[in-house]
């Protein structure tokens, strides 16, 4: 039984050499790049003859796109990029990936193009690039016309144009149209892309694609391969736990919530030292959020404004600023949250409604938690050594130096310089270990 289970992955690929199916559905980011990397790597280890990369994407991050393209170019297994199902698109980053693949195919009623890059970050600074979507060409051309930011824009557009042209020349595809897709953000339907030699073929679905690819010769790693895919059923490669984890933490809204949750937990821990649990949770949340921010196109000026805003709101509780610190902190927090992830690419923005909701919740939380901590420090002591000093009690016996008395309902050993009688009222003036020093009450 164990032997059969061990052979099952190999049997699942029958009747011929395997074909792996990877699916990109949505914006291209770190999680998608990790998924494609591991999928291509797994296909190579299992001796696959082809990897089908089925795409439906509006674009994504430049760094993630380039990571996927590097994996495709270095792959020992040919990769067929397939824009499907009907109604799907390979806009922006998807167009680059399509050009980089060994085989480019599309389903009917699909489109590709609009590959103009859009900068993220402060003008003139070290900005991480992001591939735009339809409608970004006007912004790019405006930048090219002149102005302080035009140099950076021209650099990004020229770099992207040269990059996609080199991919087109490598695969023998239409380089002129590829450059227009970058500089003018033009798009093409599946049938027009086939006519202009942007893609290799049009197929209805994955089985139809495999039938059409049967017998095709491809050059991979300086070796020629012949595909035998007519009777092969593509096997889907599912994301592993690491990819799923990346998909969760690199969601901008999740990362945004994690950083706030971590800060709040640490504030609560510092306000109530010794609880430990809030500090542990806060440290974990902050570290995970910082890891996610490292992978995302984060504007660190926005993150700094958020932290300053929280600091101001906390400072309002300690200093008599008559609301100026609190209001200023809330404004800084909202502005920082809005520009934290500065992008228009679908899937990589923080909703404004979430920002306003968490801003209001943050102010309420900080005023409540820190306010309760301050009230706790101002309360009179009700137990311990400090509470006993100055309290009164009653002597339980007659004695001259040491005897017993009842203080706060408890029996204590007491010492008095003056003789005391049973029932006489005394007041505690000092404490020496478990011995109370008292004086008679007037």
């Amino acid at each position: 039984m164990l032997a059969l289970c061990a052979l099952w992955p190999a049997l699942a690929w029958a009747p011929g050499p395997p074909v792996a199916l990877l699916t990109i559905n949505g914006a291209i980011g770190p999680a998608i790049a990790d998924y494609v990397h591991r999928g291509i790597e797994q296909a190579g280890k299992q001796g696959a003859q082809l990897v089908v990369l089925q795409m439906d994407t509006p674009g994504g991050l430049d760094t993630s796109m380039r990571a996927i393209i590097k994996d495709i170019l270095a792959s020992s297994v040919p990769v067929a990029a397939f824009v499907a199902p009907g109604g799907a698109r390979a806009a922006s980053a998807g167009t680059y990936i399509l050009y980089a693949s060994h085989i480019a195919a599309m389903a009917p009623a699909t489109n590709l193009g609009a590959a103009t890059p859009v900068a993220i970050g402060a003008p003139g600074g070290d900005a991480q690039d992001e591939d735009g979507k339809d409608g970004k060409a006007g912004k790019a051309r405006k930048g090219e016309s002149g102005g302080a930011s035009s140099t950076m824009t021209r650099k990004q557009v020229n770099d992207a144009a040269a990059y996609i042209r080199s991919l087109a020349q490598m695969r023998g595809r239409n380089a002129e149209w590829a450059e227009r897709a970058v500089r003018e953000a033009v798009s093409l339907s599946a049938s027009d892309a086939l006519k202009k030699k942007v893609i290799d073929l049009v197929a209805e679905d994955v089985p139809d694609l495999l039938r059409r690819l049967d017998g095709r010769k491809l050059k991979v790693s300086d070796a020629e391969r012949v595909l035998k895919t007519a009777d092969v059923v593509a096997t889907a490669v599912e994301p592993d736990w690491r990819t799923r984890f990346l998909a969760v933490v690199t969601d901008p809204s999740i990362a945004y919530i994690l950083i706030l949750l971590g800060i709040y937990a640490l504030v609560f821990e510092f306000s109530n030292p010794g609880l430990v649990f809030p500090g542990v949770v806060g440290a974990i949340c902050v570290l995970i959020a910082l890891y996610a921010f490292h992978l995302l196109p984060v504007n660190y000026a926005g993150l700094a404004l958020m932290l300053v805003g929280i600091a101001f709101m906390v400072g309002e509780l300690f200093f008599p600023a008559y609301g100026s610190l609190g209001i200023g902190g809330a404004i800084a927090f909202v502005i920082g949250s809005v520009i934290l992830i500065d992008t228009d690419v679908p899937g990589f923005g923080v909703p404004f409604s979430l920002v306003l909701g968490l801003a209001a919740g943050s102010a309420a939380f900080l005023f409540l938690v820190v306010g309760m901590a301050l009230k706790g420090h101002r309360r009179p002591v009700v137990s311990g050594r400090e509470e006993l000093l100055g309290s009164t009690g009653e002597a339980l016996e007659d004695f001259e130096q040491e005897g017993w008395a009842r203080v706060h309902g408890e029996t204590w050993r007491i010492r008095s310089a003056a003789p005391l009688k049973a029932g006489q009222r005394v007041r505690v003036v000092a404490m020496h270990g478990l011995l109370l020093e008292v004086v008679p009450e007037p």
Side-chain angles (χ1 to χ4, degrees), residues 38-282:
R38 291 174 177 269
I40 292 177
E41 187 178 63
Q42 179 182 335
K45 291 179 180 178
Q46 293 184 341
Q49 63 170 319
L50 180 69
V51 172
V52 176
L53 190 60
Q54 181 172 307
M55 294 191 299
D56 179 10
T57 176
L61 304 181
D62 178 80
T63 51
S64 300
M65 174 200 75
R66 289 179 182 257
I68 292 174
I69 291 176
K70 287 178 182 178
D71 287 328
I72 292 174
L73 298 181
S75 174
S76 59
V77 181
V79 177
F82 182 38
V83 185
R89 58 177 169 167
S92 193
T95 302
Y96 292 81
I97 294 171
L98 200 70
Y99 264 87
S101 300
H102 301 85
I103 298 167
M106 298 174 70
T110 58
N111 67 283
L112 81 161
T116 304
V118 179
I120 295 178
D126 293 333
Q128 182 183 6
D129 289 346
E130 167 185 285
D131 288 303
K133 55 181 180 177
D134 294 347
K136 294 301 179 186
K139 184 175 180 180
R141 289 194 296 270
K142 182 179 179 181
E144 290 179 326
S145 64
S149 63
S150 62
T151 301
M152 178 61 70
T153 301
R154 285 198 300 270
K155 283 183 178 180
Q156 292 163 352
V157 172
N158 290 335
D159 176 71
Y163 187 49
I164 200 168
R165 176 176 280 274
S166 68
L167 296 175
Q169 292 171 346
M170 175 185 290
R171 300 304 185 198
R173 300 197 176 103
N174 191 327
E176 286 70 23
W177 185 88
E179 191 165 347
R180 285 188 62 207
V182 173
R183 297 188 181 278
E184 303 174 23
V186 295
S187 297
L188 278 179
S189 65
S191 58
D192 290 338
L194 183 60
K195 292 176 183 178
K196 291 180 180 293
K197 297 183 179 180
V198 172
I199 62 174
D200 302 308
L201 57 96
V202 174
E204 294 289 338
D205 49 26
V206 174
D208 184 38
L209 174 67
L210 297 182
R211 285 192 297 270
R212 290 174 181 270
L213 291 178
D214 186 53
R216 184 178 290 253
K217 295 180 180 180
L218 296 174
K219 188 176 181 181
V220 182
S221 301
D222 295 327
E224 190 175 79
R225 299 193 182 185
V226 180
L227 298 179
K228 299 178 181 179
T229 56
D231 300 320
V232 178
V233 177
T235 300
V237 178
E238 299 295 334
D240 59 7
W241 69 268
R242 185 177 185 275
T243 303
R244 294 191 183 97
F245 173 75
L246 278 176
V248 172
V249 300
T250 56
D251 182 291
S253 296
I254 299 297
Y256 176 67
I257 292 173
L258 281 175
I259 191 70
L260 293 184
L261 181 61
I263 292 172
Y264 299 157
L266 291 177
V267 168
F268 191 80
E269 174 68 28
F270 293 148
S271 300
N272 300 271
L275 291 180
V276 179
F277 180 73
V280 172
V281 172

Side-chain angles (χ1 to χ4, degrees), residues 124 161 198-199 220 299 325 337 348 372 381:
V198 172
I199 62 174
V220 182
N299 186 324
L325 280 177
S337 299
F348 289 96
M372 290 176 62
V381 179

Side-chain angles (χ1 to χ4, degrees), residues 7-24:
L7 288 174
W8 173 250
L11 294 175
W13 294 107
V19 172
L21 175 62
L22 307 179
T23 303
I24 296 178

